[in-house]
Amino acid sequence: MTPLPGLGTQQEFTTESGRRIGVITYRDGRMELIVSDARDPDKICAATDLTGEETSTLANLLGAPQLVRQLSEQQREVTGVNTWQLPLTHGSPFDGRALGETEMRTRTSVSIVAVIRDGSVVPSPRPDFVFAGGDLVVVVGTAEGLRAAGEIMEHG
């Protein structure tokens, strides 16, 4: 973090291609996303102000794939346990219904560990969580259980 006297702070990192990507947080709470020029890392080629909601959306868009990647890496360490992402299509038997109604754990021994909706992650959703078409359901279990979970999500 770099202090910007009288303005706020700047946090940044440098990509493998040499571009700096950063966020300036102003003292009044505003945030600005900045990207440096590919040829001159000290020159800003793009900048945009972000509202609080936009900042959250961007964080979720970047965080959702990281959650799935971390789960996949962790499951590699446990023989016989896998992580899958099951798309819940519009019109699926569970579109608009609560997670608990799937009886997923009882029927398959699979655990629903997260749901990704519109780029936002809902970790450890509760039984009363209501699915919506377009959700990506992250499940953990055996290969056999995951196949059964896919069938349940698709056919009921």
Side-chain angles (χ1 to χ4, degrees):
M1 184 178 326
T2 305
L4 302 174
L7 292 175
T9 60
Q10 179 174 328
Q11 293 180 293
E12 64 183 26
F13 70 97
T14 303
T15 66
E16 286 185 18
S17 67
R19 283 185 185 243
R20 287 183 311 123
I21 309 288
V23 174
I24 298 173
T25 304
Y26 292 94
R27 289 174 45 187
D28 64 4
R30 290 182 302 120
M31 297 185 98
E32 183 178 18
L33 179 67
I34 58 171
V35 179
S36 73
D37 186 281
R39 294 174 299 271
D40 181 357
D42 292 325
K43 180 181 176 188
I44 301 301
C45 70
T48 187
D49 288 329
L50 298 173
T51 65
E53 184 176 328
E54 292 165 341
T55 302
S56 267
T57 299
L58 179 59
N60 282 321
L61 286 173
L62 295 171
Q66 292 300 320
L67 170 67
V68 172
R69 184 187 56 77
Q70 287 173 346
L71 287 170
S72 295
E73 286 176 4
Q74 289 172 354
Q75 66 90 21
R76 281 188 206 125
E77 299 172 12
V78 181
T79 304
V81 176
N82 300 296
T83 302
W84 278 9
Q85 300 173 47
L86 303 174
L88 187 92
T89 59
H90 294 278
S92 158
F94 293 102
D95 184 358
R97 292 179 56 198
L99 179 151
E101 293 180 58
T102 67
E103 298 178 333
M104 190 66 68
R105 183 178 277 233
T106 302
R107 295 168 69 184
T108 66
S109 297
V110 164
S111 294
I112 296 174
V113 296
V115 175
I116 302 169
R117 178 179 292 162
D118 297 326
S120 295
V121 177
V122 178
S124 303
R126 297 172 42 93
D128 60 352
F129 176 85
V130 177
F131 290 115
D135 285 350
L136 191 60
V137 182
V138 182
V139 294
V140 174
T142 64
E144 181 181 315
L146 294 173
R147 279 190 291 278
E151 287 293 316
I152 289 170
M153 295 307 283
E154 189 173 338
H155 302 292

